[in-house]
Amino acid sequence: MRKSLQEGTSFLFYDNTGNTMSCERKEFMEPRKNIMEYDTVALRDEEDAVAIIDQTKLPKEIQVILLKTAQEIWEAIYKLKVRGAPAIGVAAAFGIYVLAKKISAEEYRDFRKEFQKQKEYLDSARPTAVNLSWALRRMEQVVQENKDKSVAEIKDLLKAEAIRIQEEDIQVCRSIGEFGLTLLKPGDGILTHCNAGKLAASRYGTATAPIYLGQERGYGFRVFADETRPLLQGARLTAFELAASGVDVTLICDNMSAAVMKNGWVNAVFVGCDRVAANGDTANKIGTSVVAAVAKQYGVPFYVAAPTATIDLATPTGEEIVIEQRAAEEVTDMWYQTPMAPEGVKVYNPAFDVTSRELISGIVTEYGIAKPPYETSLRKMFEEKKKRGGTL
Ligand code: MRU
């Protein structure tokens, strides 16, 4: 039987200093300047810099930082100051442009050699999200295809391409939102994992795009955000941006998804992705595959929001996706006042897992909703992209 959310539930909300407070159904108090008014990533061309919101500081502090050197850009991606597959791609595109601008070589060959070096360095920051190498490859193509132009002209073309990558991301997310919305009805409960929101992309996010469009159109969705151990992207980022947008969001621990689904509170799961293999297997934040298995158990449809930039037809199955491993301290120490695990304990800390395609009800792209068998439906999305002149 469906239980009422109101019955005996208390909620945690952020106050306007970013601290949490426990209260019974209090209104969310907006921070002085709303997070939704900031660009997740922006080019500051006159300052030779990429500006990002430092996401490691959220929600306590909204701090915009400028990245100017290769090491600063690499580190910002590695340390998740900028994170989420599309946002990483945009940051890398602006980043490589900023670095290319500083290359002093005037000869094409020398410029290209230095460009290549910087590109490979940025590409090594994180292995799983394909958007990083995808965006850098697009930038590299600009250099390769304009051999006949002067270095100064190539730099201008690089800037234009990076801006295009960001603008396309906004359009892509909006289209995913429109297609995603067709899978939902007013009043639905939606569960999401990690942050595939505005903070992970340029505006609407991917998994959150149907939620934001629904919000604009008065759908009255109720969203459950998994906190997402160990780096708490769900608690720190998703709950923060959805609440700041006025969406009805409830934060739950990762081990509560079965409970909320069993209560009948969830009509659909929407998650983002870091790399979708050609057969539909999908890598996303660690814990996603658990949610998918639980959703199957309770008959809840499980959707992946995937820009075609995150679909990697060159990777045949999930088996071939490289999963980033991260530091043990993220599990043992981070967020705790004192370390909460015995010193020296063995830790396994993969940043992502692969959800098997059998558990995925549909993959929502900017060209439509791919359904099983994904080998054929995903290819069709790329055929459509080619037909419409999209950059492959
Ligand atoms: O480690 P993160 O925070 O970069 O992981 C992010 C995710 O897993 C997102 O769900 C994914 O990148 C999609 S973002 C639209």
Side-chain angles (χ1 to χ4, degrees), residues 24 124 126 141 173 252 323:
E24 292 281 327
S124 69
R126 295 188 76 188
Q141 258 163 27
C173 289
I252 58 171
I323 300 293

Side-chain angles (χ1 to χ4, degrees), residues 55 77 80 82-88 126 129 131 169 173 192-201 205-208 228 231 233 236-237 271-275 283-286 288 305 307 310 324 326 351-352:
Q55 297 194 32
I77 296 172
L80 275 57
V82 56
R83 35 68 51 206
I88 292 173
R126 295 188 76 188
N131 303 59
D169 179 53
C173 289
T192 190
H193 188 75
C194 192
N195 174 265
K198 174 218 155 74
L199 288 163
T206 60
T208 55
T228 318
L231 295 181
Q233 290 93 332
R236 295 187 304 105
L237 310 175
V271 296
C273 54
D274 288 81
R275 192 181 296 246
N284 190 48
K285 179 53 54 193
I286 190 71
T288 302
T310 319
E324 176 184 9
R326 296 187 62 89
F352 303 95

Side-chain angles (χ1 to χ4, degrees), residues 95-104 111 115 118 155 158:
I96 193 71
Y97 160 66
V98 162
L99 299 177
K101 238 176 121 180
K102 291 187 204 147
I103 300 175
S104 56
F111 172 78
F115 178 92
Q118 305 279 21
K155 288 178 182 175
L158 283 169

